[in-house]
Amino acid sequence: MNRSLSFEIFRYAAILTIVALSLVPTLWMASMAFKPIAEWSATGADLTWWPKSPTLDNFRFLFGESSSDLIVALDRTAARPILASLLSAVFGTLIAMVAGTSAAYGLSRFGSGGNLPLALIQLRIFPPMAVMIPVMIMWAFLDLIDTWYGLALVYGIVTMPFAFWLMKTFFDDMPREIEDAALVEGCSRLRVFWKITLPMMRPALASSALFVFILNWSDYLIGLLLTTRDWVTIPVYMASLSSSMTGQLYGAKAALGLIAAIPPVVLGIAIQKHLVRGLTFGALKQ
């Protein structure tokens, strides 16, 4: 066996090992979601990887159906938090992508803005609590506390720097000659941006939007501070799943975690044909 073949075998074995280890928490969560309370509250030798008596009770419990094993009643089901997370994450991503893409294109093509890139990234440098205290005061004054649109607006503002920096990199890597040719033919700058630049940026837009959506979807701190009851998000609602009698409701939390994993996975599958191109855009530029 030559050295190159040995190296390839070792490389693939290492990759498979890393992938398997990274999947362990996901597999454990999926297993826990289908276990009855007697199994997910077990300890020591009674704790098993796979459910001995698979059940959907944890999912039913989340949506208001009572369980004979869980001596606790939910004061609210998981339906509203799932809707709140979807609305706030989707519209927050839309706000971030529109604002970030527009700013990135202007700065990449016209070179104006002065210290704008540094000013934008400073939004992520400040400690979150230092930023959220004045935001809470303003949102309370504007009556935006515990609303999905108030949450979406903050998500859009907070994640806009990521969209800006990602899209600026993609715009910098895109050849300007195509746009210049369209301008010479009589197209306006706005028409060039809408009809030529954005279609070419489809892979970059897809990968950036997925990254921003995951940030918004998984947020806990902002949702905790800006919601109280009606529009709490999935992470905030998940933290409340506990009982004084049974302790942490690990089965219900695992079931909700499995549900929460669906939108990012579905979105990633939907844009997979653009995702690889977007992540490697400009990688071969000399």
Side-chain angles (χ1 to χ4, degrees):
M1 185 179 296
N2 54 43
R3 291 183 60 186
S4 61
L5 181 59
S6 300
F7 176 76
E8 286 297 314
I9 294 175
F10 174 78
R11 184 163 69 95
Y12 281 110
I15 292 173
L16 290 175
T17 302
I18 294 172
V19 170
L21 290 175
S22 65
L23 288 176
V24 168
T26 304
L27 293 175
W28 181 253
M29 180 183 68
S31 172
M32 187 75 71
F34 295 97
K35 288 181 178 180
I37 184 173
E39 293 186 32
W40 53 256
S41 60
T43 58
D46 295 329
L47 192 63
T48 58
W49 261 99
W50 306 110
K52 299 175 182 177
S53 304
T55 180
L56 294 176
D57 284 350
N58 294 317
F59 295 93
R60 298 191 186 101
F61 175 73
L62 287 174
F63 293 98
E65 186 173 327
S66 60
S67 173
S68 58
D69 293 330
L70 292 172
I71 313 174
V72 62
L74 289 175
D75 59 345
R76 57 194 171 191
T77 66
R80 193 68 175 265
I82 292 173
L83 178 62
S85 288
L86 281 173
L87 289 173
S88 59
V90 169
F91 282 93
T93 300
L94 185 62
I95 292 170
M97 289 303 299
V98 170
T101 300
S102 303
Y105 181 76
L107 193 63
S108 176
R109 290 298 180 261
F110 306 111
S112 59
N115 293 324
L116 177 62
L118 180 60
L120 289 176
I121 203 63
Q122 283 178 346
L123 289 172
R124 304 300 305 182
I125 294 176
F126 285 112
M129 285 304 300
V131 177
M132 288 310 300
I133 291 174
V135 169
M136 289 175 63
I137 297 173
M138 288 189 294
W139 257 231
F141 177 76
L142 296 172
D143 199 24
L144 293 176
I145 295 292
D146 203 22
T147 61
W148 70 263
Y149 43 88
L151 196 58
L153 184 57
V154 176
Y155 281 164
I157 295 171
V158 169
T159 55
M160 191 265 287
F162 289 107
F164 168 79
W165 279 101
L166 287 170
M167 292 307 301
K168 184 181 181 300
T169 303
F170 293 132
F171 283 129
D172 290 342
D173 290 336
M174 178 184 172
R176 303 189 183 189
E177 289 77 6
I178 301 175
E179 295 179 346
D180 294 338
L183 291 171
V184 170
E185 291 295 327
C187 285
S188 65
R189 174 62 70 174
L190 182 60
R191 186 175 179 83
V192 169
F193 176 71
W194 187 256
K195 294 292 186 180
I196 296 176
T197 307
L198 281 185
M200 292 182 65
M201 287 286 106
R202 217 172 277 155
L205 287 168
S207 57
S208 300
L210 178 61
F211 178 70
V212 172
F213 176 81
I214 292 174
L215 289 177
N216 292 332
W217 181 257
S218 59
D219 167 74
Y220 174 75
L221 178 63
I222 297 175
L224 177 66
L225 296 177
L226 295 185
T227 59
T228 55
R229 177 179 174 82
D230 292 338
W231 292 101
V232 298
T233 57
I234 290 177
V236 178
Y237 178 77
M238 187 180 295
S240 68
L241 291 176
S242 61
S243 168
S244 58
M245 299 184 66
T246 59
Q248 296 293 325
L249 303 178
Y250 294 115
K253 288 186 175 184
L256 186 57
L258 211 57
I259 295 173
I262 294 175
V265 171
V266 170
L267 183 60
I269 293 174
I271 65 173
Q272 63 177 336
K273 65 178 182 179
H274 301 300
L275 198 55
V276 175
R277 288 184 58 197
L279 294 174
T280 59
F281 195 88
L284 300 179
K285 184 178 178 181
Q286 299 296 327

